[in-house]
């Protein structure tokens, strides 16, 4: 049963992480750029893709998802993140790991009010703080007619440029969002659901070279 409840919240935490592209109050000293510190500013659609595995732990167990993607948009000053879609799964598009399958769905899209804020002090090696605002998801585990858990809130993470030696995944040269032991809270669902879950994951961020094309091939970079 512990593994079942963990599976129910795995996708919820992953979605929180996937969206972690930005911090609510975008400062005037933040600029999103097209791939380097001296490139033109970038505003438009963005995509976050999971690098490696997202792990989730609770008081009753832990598990992982291996595939996840989220799309949305952002302004060049780091403000106005809007998350419009998100998917996540295990290998081959199946459920996230656990003792039974789990269906994850997003709630209340779009999620708005996020932003990226450049960190001039590079605290802990990061280049920016990253927050997703107003995310909301539901996970249903296929057992006993379906156990449903809902989680939501705001989540803050660290942002890294693709040339930062401190970025979580050095095999990728794209901008990254790294979440370490971030907590999401239960907002509804079965009494069997844990009240909180802790998530660790890394996502690569890209924009579009051709606006509106749906092809995410533009590297991104955060500066002052």
């Amino acid at each position: 049963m512990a593994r079942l409840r963990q599976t129910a919240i795995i996708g919820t935490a992953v979605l929180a992480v996937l969206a972690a592209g930005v911090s609510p109050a975008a400062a005037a000293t933040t600029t999103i750029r097209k791939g380097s510190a001296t490139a033109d500013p970038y505003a438009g659609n963005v995509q976050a893709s999971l690098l490696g595995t997202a792990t989730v732990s609770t008081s009753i167990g832990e598990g992982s998802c291996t595939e996840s993607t989220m799309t949305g948009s952002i302004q060049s000053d780091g403000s106005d993140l809007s998350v419009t879609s998100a998917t996540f799964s295990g290998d081959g598009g199946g459920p996230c790991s656990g003792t039974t399958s789990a269906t994850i769905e997003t709630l209340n899209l779009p999620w708005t009010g996020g932003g990226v804020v450049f960190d001039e002090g590079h605290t802990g090696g990061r280049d920016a703080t990253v927050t997703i605002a107003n995310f909301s998801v539901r996970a249903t585990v296929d057992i006993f007619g379906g156990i449903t858990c809902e989680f939501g809130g705001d989540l803050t993470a660290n942002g890294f440029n693709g040339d930062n030696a401190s970025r979580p995944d050095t095999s990728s040269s794209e901008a990254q969002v790294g979440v370490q032991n971030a907590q999401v809270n239960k907002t509804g669902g079965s009494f069997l659901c844990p009240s909180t879950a802790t998530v660790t994951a890394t996502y690569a961020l890209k924009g579009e070279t051709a606006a509106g094309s749906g092809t995410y091939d533009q590297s991104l970079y955060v500066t002052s």
Side-chain angles (χ1 to χ4, degrees):
M1 182 62 71
R3 298 293 291 177
L4 297 180
R5 282 181 276 178
Q6 186 283 323
T7 302
I9 57 88
I10 182 95
T12 235
V14 170
L15 285 177
V17 176
L18 274 174
V22 247
S23 179
T29 55
T30 297
T31 305
I32 309 298
R33 298 185 182 275
K34 297 178 179 180
S36 75
T38 58
D40 291 339
Y42 178 85
N45 295 330
V46 292
Q47 182 182 74
S49 302
L50 180 65
L51 294 172
T53 300
T55 61
V56 179
S57 61
T58 72
S59 59
I60 57 176
E62 64 178 56
S64 63
C65 289
T66 56
E67 298 178 9
S68 186
T69 303
M70 170 182 279
T71 58
S73 61
I74 193 170
Q75 297 300 314
S76 62
D77 65 355
S79 66
D80 294 338
L81 173 72
S82 178
V83 176
T84 56
S85 68
T87 62
F88 56 92
S89 64
D91 292 340
C96 296
S97 61
T99 56
T100 188
S101 63
T103 300
I104 312 300
E105 57 187 310
T106 58
L107 302 175
N108 305 321
L109 286 171
W111 303 329
T112 59
V116 172
V117 175
F118 180 70
D119 183 353
E120 187 173 5
H122 298 281
T123 307
R126 71 190 180 191
D127 295 300
T129 56
V130 180
T131 302
I132 176 64
N134 301 310
F135 73 86
S136 182
V137 293
R138 176 187 295 134
T140 302
V141 175
D142 185 19
I143 190 170
F144 301 141
I147 298 173
T148 299
C149 302
E150 295 180 4
F151 288 81
D154 297 348
L155 186 74
T156 299
N158 295 320
F160 301 85
N161 288 320
D163 60 358
N164 186 336
S166 298
R167 66 192 186 278
D169 188 339
T170 56
S171 68
S172 170
S173 60
E174 300 300 336
Q176 297 176 21
V177 171
V179 179
Q180 288 290 326
N181 299 321
Q183 191 173 85
V184 290
N185 298 316
K186 175 184 174 182
T187 57
S190 170
F191 71 93
L192 297 172
C193 304
S195 60
T196 62
T198 301
V199 68
T200 297
T202 300
Y203 288 81
L205 300 177
K206 284 187 175 183
E208 298 172 316
T209 299
S213 66
T215 299
Y216 294 91
D217 53 2
Q218 175 62 64
S219 295
L220 301 177
Y221 203 96
V222 183
T223 68
S224 60

Short mmCIF file of all heavy atoms in Angstrom, two decimals, residues 86-120:
data_model
loop_
_atom_site.label_atom_id
_atom_site.label_comp_id
_atom_site.label_asym_id
_atom_site.label_seq_id
_atom_site.Cartn_x
_atom_site.Cartn_y
_atom_site.Cartn_z
N ALA A 86 1.50 19.67 -20.04
CA ALA A 86 2.52 18.87 -19.36
C ALA A 86 2.20 17.39 -19.49
O ALA A 86 1.03 17.00 -19.46
CB ALA A 86 2.62 19.26 -17.89
N THR A 87 3.24 16.59 -19.68
CA THR A 87 3.08 15.13 -19.70
C THR A 87 4.22 14.51 -18.90
O THR A 87 5.30 15.10 -18.76
CB THR A 87 3.15 14.57 -21.13
OG1 THR A 87 4.44 14.86 -21.70
CG2 THR A 87 2.06 15.16 -22.00
N PHE A 88 4.00 13.31 -18.37
CA PHE A 88 5.05 12.59 -17.66
C PHE A 88 4.68 11.13 -17.59
O PHE A 88 3.51 10.74 -17.62
CB PHE A 88 5.25 13.15 -16.25
CG PHE A 88 4.00 13.16 -15.45
CD1 PHE A 88 3.69 12.09 -14.65
CD2 PHE A 88 3.13 14.23 -15.54
CE1 PHE A 88 2.50 12.08 -13.93
CE2 PHE A 88 1.95 14.23 -14.81
CZ PHE A 88 1.64 13.15 -14.00
N SER A 89 5.72 10.27 -17.51
CA SER A 89 5.47 8.83 -17.52
C SER A 89 6.74 8.09 -17.15
O SER A 89 7.79 8.69 -16.91
CB SER A 89 5.00 8.38 -18.91
OG SER A 89 6.02 8.58 -19.86
N GLY A 90 6.63 6.76 -17.17
CA GLY A 90 7.78 5.90 -17.02
C GLY A 90 8.35 5.54 -18.38
O GLY A 90 7.99 6.15 -19.40
N ASP A 91 9.21 4.56 -18.44
CA ASP A 91 9.85 4.16 -19.69
C ASP A 91 8.81 3.78 -20.75
O ASP A 91 7.81 3.11 -20.45
CB ASP A 91 10.77 2.96 -19.47
CG ASP A 91 11.98 3.32 -18.63
OD1 ASP A 91 12.30 4.52 -18.56
OD2 ASP A 91 12.59 2.40 -18.06
N GLY A 92 9.04 4.23 -21.98
CA GLY A 92 8.16 3.88 -23.08
C GLY A 92 6.78 4.46 -23.01
O GLY A 92 5.85 3.99 -23.67
N GLY A 93 6.59 5.49 -22.19
CA GLY A 93 5.29 6.12 -22.07
C GLY A 93 4.36 5.44 -21.08
O GLY A 93 3.19 5.82 -20.96
N GLY A 94 4.87 4.43 -20.36
CA GLY A 94 4.05 3.75 -19.36
C GLY A 94 3.95 4.54 -18.07
O GLY A 94 4.43 5.67 -17.99
N PRO A 95 3.34 3.96 -17.05
CA PRO A 95 3.19 4.66 -15.78
C PRO A 95 4.52 4.84 -15.07
O PRO A 95 5.50 4.16 -15.36
CB PRO A 95 2.27 3.73 -14.98
CG PRO A 95 2.52 2.38 -15.56
CD PRO A 95 2.75 2.61 -17.03
N CYS A 96 4.57 5.78 -14.15
CA CYS A 96 5.75 5.94 -13.32
C CYS A 96 5.89 4.70 -12.44
O CYS A 96 4.94 3.96 -12.22
CB CYS A 96 5.62 7.19 -12.45
SG CYS A 96 5.56 8.73 -13.41
N SER A 97 7.12 4.45 -11.96
CA SER A 97 7.40 3.20 -11.26
C SER A 97 6.57 3.06 -10.00
O SER A 97 6.27 4.02 -9.31
CB SER A 97 8.89 3.12 -10.92
OG SER A 97 9.26 4.19 -10.07
N GLY A 98 6.18 1.82 -9.71
CA GLY A 98 5.37 1.51 -8.54
C GLY A 98 4.80 0.11 -8.66
O GLY A 98 5.09 -0.61 -9.62
N THR A 99 3.97 -0.27 -7.74
CA THR A 99 3.40 -1.62 -7.78
C THR A 99 2.11 -1.69 -8.56
O THR A 99 1.55 -2.78 -8.75
CB THR A 99 3.14 -2.11 -6.34
OG1 THR A 99 2.30 -1.17 -5.68
CG2 THR A 99 4.45 -2.25 -5.58
N THR A 100 1.60 -0.55 -9.04
CA THR A 100 0.43 -0.52 -9.91
C THR A 100 0.50 0.71 -10.79
O THR A 100 1.34 1.58 -10.56
CB THR A 100 -0.87 -0.50 -9.07
OG1 THR A 100 -2.00 -0.66 -9.94
CG2 THR A 100 -1.00 0.78 -8.29
N SER A 101 -0.33 0.79 -11.82
CA SER A 101 -0.28 1.94 -12.72
C SER A 101 -0.95 3.16 -12.10
O SER A 101 -1.82 3.05 -11.24
CB SER A 101 -0.98 1.60 -14.04
OG SER A 101 -2.35 1.33 -13.81
N ALA A 102 -0.49 4.34 -12.54
CA ALA A 102 -1.07 5.60 -12.07
C ALA A 102 -1.31 6.52 -13.25
O ALA A 102 -0.44 6.69 -14.10
CB ALA A 102 -0.15 6.26 -11.06
N THR A 103 -2.47 7.14 -13.30
CA THR A 103 -2.81 8.11 -14.33
C THR A 103 -2.70 9.50 -13.73
O THR A 103 -3.30 9.79 -12.69
CB THR A 103 -4.24 7.89 -14.85
OG1 THR A 103 -4.34 6.58 -15.39
CG2 THR A 103 -4.59 8.93 -15.90
N ILE A 104 -1.90 10.36 -14.39
CA ILE A 104 -1.69 11.72 -13.87
C ILE A 104 -2.33 12.72 -14.83
O ILE A 104 -2.15 12.63 -16.04
CB ILE A 104 -0.19 12.03 -13.75
CG1 ILE A 104 0.54 10.88 -13.03
CG2 ILE A 104 0.03 13.34 -13.01
CD1 ILE A 104 0.07 10.58 -11.65
N GLU A 105 -3.06 13.67 -14.28
CA GLU A 105 -3.67 14.70 -15.10
C GLU A 105 -3.46 16.07 -14.47
O GLU A 105 -3.37 16.20 -13.24
CB GLU A 105 -5.16 14.45 -15.29
CG GLU A 105 -5.94 14.34 -14.00
CD GLU A 105 -7.38 13.92 -14.22
OE1 GLU A 105 -8.05 14.54 -15.07
OE2 GLU A 105 -7.83 12.98 -13.54
N THR A 106 -3.33 17.08 -15.31
CA THR A 106 -3.17 18.44 -14.81
C THR A 106 -4.52 19.05 -14.50
O THR A 106 -5.54 18.70 -15.11
CB THR A 106 -2.45 19.31 -15.85
OG1 THR A 106 -3.20 19.30 -17.07
CG2 THR A 106 -1.04 18.77 -16.11
N LEU A 107 -4.53 19.98 -13.59
CA LEU A 107 -5.75 20.69 -13.21
C LEU A 107 -5.52 22.20 -13.36
O LEU A 107 -4.41 22.70 -13.17
CB LEU A 107 -6.11 20.39 -11.75
CG LEU A 107 -6.33 18.93 -11.35
CD1 LEU A 107 -6.55 18.83 -9.84
CD2 LEU A 107 -7.50 18.33 -12.11
N ASN A 108 -6.58 22.90 -13.72
CA ASN A 108 -6.60 24.37 -13.70
C ASN A 108 -5.54 25.02 -14.58
O ASN A 108 -4.99 26.08 -14.23
CB ASN A 108 -6.46 24.87 -12.26
CG ASN A 108 -7.51 24.29 -11.34
OD1 ASN A 108 -8.67 24.15 -11.72
ND2 ASN A 108 -7.12 23.96 -10.12
N LEU A 109 -5.24 24.42 -15.72
CA LEU A 109 -4.34 25.07 -16.67
C LEU A 109 -5.03 26.25 -17.35
O LEU A 109 -6.24 26.23 -17.53
CB LEU A 109 -3.90 24.06 -17.73
CG LEU A 109 -2.88 23.01 -17.28
CD1 LEU A 109 -2.72 21.96 -18.37
CD2 LEU A 109 -1.54 23.65 -16.97
N PRO A 110 -4.30 27.30 -17.75
CA PRO A 110 -2.85 27.44 -17.59
C PRO A 110 -2.48 27.85 -16.17
O PRO A 110 -3.26 28.48 -15.46
CB PRO A 110 -2.52 28.57 -18.57
CG PRO A 110 -3.76 29.41 -18.58
CD PRO A 110 -4.92 28.44 -18.47
N TRP A 111 -1.25 27.49 -15.79
CA TRP A 111 -0.68 27.94 -14.52
C TRP A 111 0.10 29.21 -14.80
O TRP A 111 1.02 29.22 -15.58
CB TRP A 111 0.24 26.88 -13.93
CG TRP A 111 -0.42 25.55 -13.73
CD1 TRP A 111 -1.74 25.31 -13.44
CD2 TRP A 111 0.21 24.26 -13.80
NE1 TRP A 111 -1.97 23.97 -13.33
CE2 TRP A 111 -0.80 23.30 -13.55
CE3 TRP A 111 1.52 23.85 -14.05
CZ2 TRP A 111 -0.52 21.92 -13.54
CZ3 TRP A 111 1.79 22.48 -14.04
CH2 TRP A 111 0.77 21.54 -13.78
N THR A 112 -0.28 30.29 -14.15
CA THR A 112 0.33 31.59 -14.43
C THR A 112 0.93 32.20 -13.16
O THR A 112 0.66 31.76 -12.05
CB THR A 112 -0.71 32.57 -14.99
OG1 THR A 112 -1.77 32.73 -14.03
CG2 THR A 112 -1.30 32.04 -16.29
N GLY A 113 1.74 33.23 -13.35
CA GLY A 113 2.27 33.99 -12.22
C GLY A 113 3.69 33.64 -11.83
O GLY A 113 4.18 34.11 -10.81
N GLY A 114 4.39 32.83 -12.63
CA GLY A 114 5.77 32.48 -12.31
C GLY A 114 6.76 33.47 -12.90
O GLY A 114 6.39 34.43 -13.56
N GLY A 115 8.04 33.26 -12.69
CA GLY A 115 9.08 34.10 -13.27
C GLY A 115 10.47 33.60 -12.95
O GLY A 115 10.65 32.76 -12.09
N VAL A 116 11.48 34.06 -13.67
CA VAL A 116 12.89 33.77 -13.42
C VAL A 116 13.55 35.03 -12.86
O VAL A 116 13.33 36.11 -13.40
CB VAL A 116 13.61 33.35 -14.71
CG1 VAL A 116 15.11 33.23 -14.49
CG2 VAL A 116 13.06 32.04 -15.23
N VAL A 117 14.36 34.87 -11.82
CA VAL A 117 15.08 36.02 -11.25
C VAL A 117 16.57 35.71 -11.23
O VAL A 117 17.01 34.74 -10.61
CB VAL A 117 14.59 36.35 -9.83
CG1 VAL A 117 15.44 37.46 -9.23
CG2 VAL A 117 13.13 36.77 -9.86
N PHE A 118 17.36 36.51 -11.92
CA PHE A 118 18.81 36.34 -11.96
C PHE A 118 19.40 36.49 -10.56
O PHE A 118 19.02 37.38 -9.81
CB PHE A 118 19.43 37.38 -12.89
CG PHE A 118 20.92 37.29 -13.01
CD1 PHE A 118 21.52 36.23 -13.66
CD2 PHE A 118 21.74 38.27 -12.46
CE1 PHE A 118 22.90 36.14 -13.78
CE2 PHE A 118 23.12 38.20 -12.57
CZ PHE A 118 23.70 37.12 -13.23
N ASP A 119 20.32 35.61 -10.20
CA ASP A 119 20.97 35.64 -8.89
C ASP A 119 22.40 36.18 -9.08
O ASP A 119 23.31 35.45 -9.46
CB ASP A 119 21.01 34.24 -8.29
CG ASP A 119 21.63 34.22 -6.89
OD1 ASP A 119 22.14 35.27 -6.44
OD2 ASP A 119 21.61 33.14 -6.27
N GLU A 120 22.57 37.46 -8.81
CA GLU A 120 23.87 38.11 -9.03
C GLU A 120 24.95 37.49 -8.15
O GLU A 120 26.12 37.45 -8.53
CB GLU A 120 23.76 39.60 -8.76
CG GLU A 120 25.00 40.38 -9.10
CD GLU A 120 24.79 41.88 -8.97
OE1 GLU A 120 23.70 42.29 -8.52
OE2 GLU A 120 25.71 42.64 -9.33
#
